[in-house]
Amino acid sequence: MHERGMLIVLSGPSGVGKGTVRQAMLQDDFRDFQYSVSMTTRKPRPGEKDGIDYYFRTKEQFEQEIADGQMLEYAKYVDNYYGTPLKYVNQTLDAGRDVLLEIEVKGAMQVRAKCPDGVFIFLTPPDLVALKHRLVGRGTDDIATINKRIQQAAQEIKMMENYDYAVVNDEVPLAVKRIERIIESEHLRVPRVIDKYRNMVN
């Protein structure tokens, strides 16, 4: 019988580069990740595709998923819902594949309560000035929204204590390597492998 996959949760402030780091991880040959596409009610940004970057849904559709108990986690962030469909995550873990979630901080805390054996990684900016430059450079938000995101980021960074690891995203390739080392180590932790060896000696 194969081992159940490991749930890896990557989150951090808006603009820290979660999506860029996630894409770099999935392009690396380090491990066979399955990225769990999140669902959101925000409008697609240029180049984003439904079912690849996000499942784009209306507010009414998203709230029906919540009512049906079909969300592993969800949060409302800057007037939009974000969340993770439950069924797909469980099926993938049961098949023995690692699942990578890229989600907001509030959603990660819901997952932590339901999946305490997950690996929770907080991606941080070098500092808030660098974060603001990234948000401005992205060119997708007006200055009022950017300032709102910076204030939110300061609050989210205080929640880092609820995570297992903190990784600075100063350069994407370095951040990816740090995360890969964490995952490699987590797969070797005794609580994750002990049952296999108990079966072996019995």
Side-chain angles (χ1 to χ4, degrees):
M1 182 178 176
H2 57 67
E3 297 176 25
R4 182 173 162 86
M6 190 166 71
L7 181 65
I8 303 141
V9 178
L10 179 68
S11 57
S14 176
V16 76
K18 298 185 295 295
T20 304
V21 168
R22 177 254 301 169
Q23 288 173 346
M25 288 175 66
L26 294 173
Q27 289 168 1
D28 202 331
D29 292 331
F30 164 74
R31 190 174 287 278
D32 184 23
F33 291 111
Q34 181 64 48
Y35 172 59
S36 178
V37 179
S38 294
M39 188 178 291
T40 185
T41 58
R42 78 159 170 77
K43 299 297 183 185
R45 293 179 183 138
E48 288 184 332
K49 295 181 180 179
D50 183 55
I52 296 175
D53 296 284
Y54 283 94
Y55 294 112
F56 294 101
R57 298 291 183 267
T58 65
K59 180 181 177 184
E60 291 73 22
Q61 289 172 326
F62 198 108
E63 289 177 342
Q64 187 60 53
E65 293 286 338
I66 295 170
D68 292 342
Q70 292 301 306
M71 304 303 294
L72 173 62
E73 56 79 29
Y74 68 93
K76 201 167 189 180
Y77 184 83
V78 193
D79 302 323
N80 283 301
Y81 282 114
Y82 294 81
T84 302
L86 176 62
K87 183 178 179 181
Y88 179 75
V89 171
N90 275 329
Q91 287 177 339
T92 308
L93 290 173
D94 287 342
R97 298 188 72 190
D98 288 350
V99 174
L100 176 64
L101 299 186
E102 175 211 324
I103 57 179
E104 305 301 327
V105 174
K106 288 182 180 178
M109 294 304 95
Q110 294 177 47
V111 177
R112 171 124 250 177
K114 296 174 184 175
C115 307
D117 61 341
V119 180
F120 291 78
I121 302 170
F122 191 90
L123 196 65
T124 74
D127 54 52
L128 289 179
V129 173
L131 181 63
K132 187 167 186 175
H133 283 207
R134 287 180 187 176
L135 288 169
V136 171
R138 199 161 67 179
T140 58
D141 297 313
D142 58 33
I143 194 65
T145 302
I146 288 171
N147 287 334
K148 191 173 181 181
R149 289 184 184 276
I150 291 294
Q151 292 172 0
Q152 182 82 21
Q155 296 302 312
E156 289 174 336
I157 288 170
K158 295 176 184 177
M159 297 177 68
M160 188 192 299
E161 64 184 10
N162 298 300
Y163 287 73
D164 301 312
Y165 301 93
V167 172
V168 177
N169 186 22
D170 45 2
E171 295 180 35
V172 170
L174 293 178
V176 169
K177 291 301 179 188
R178 291 166 188 145
I179 292 170
E180 288 177 348
R181 288 198 296 268
I182 289 168
I183 294 167
E184 186 75 12
S185 297
E186 282 288 333
H187 269 284
L188 301 176
R189 288 185 66 211
V190 169
R192 296 191 193 279
V193 300
I194 189 65
D195 286 343
K196 178 173 70 174
Y197 288 97
R198 282 176 177 153
N199 291 335
M200 180 180 71
V201 298
N202 289 334

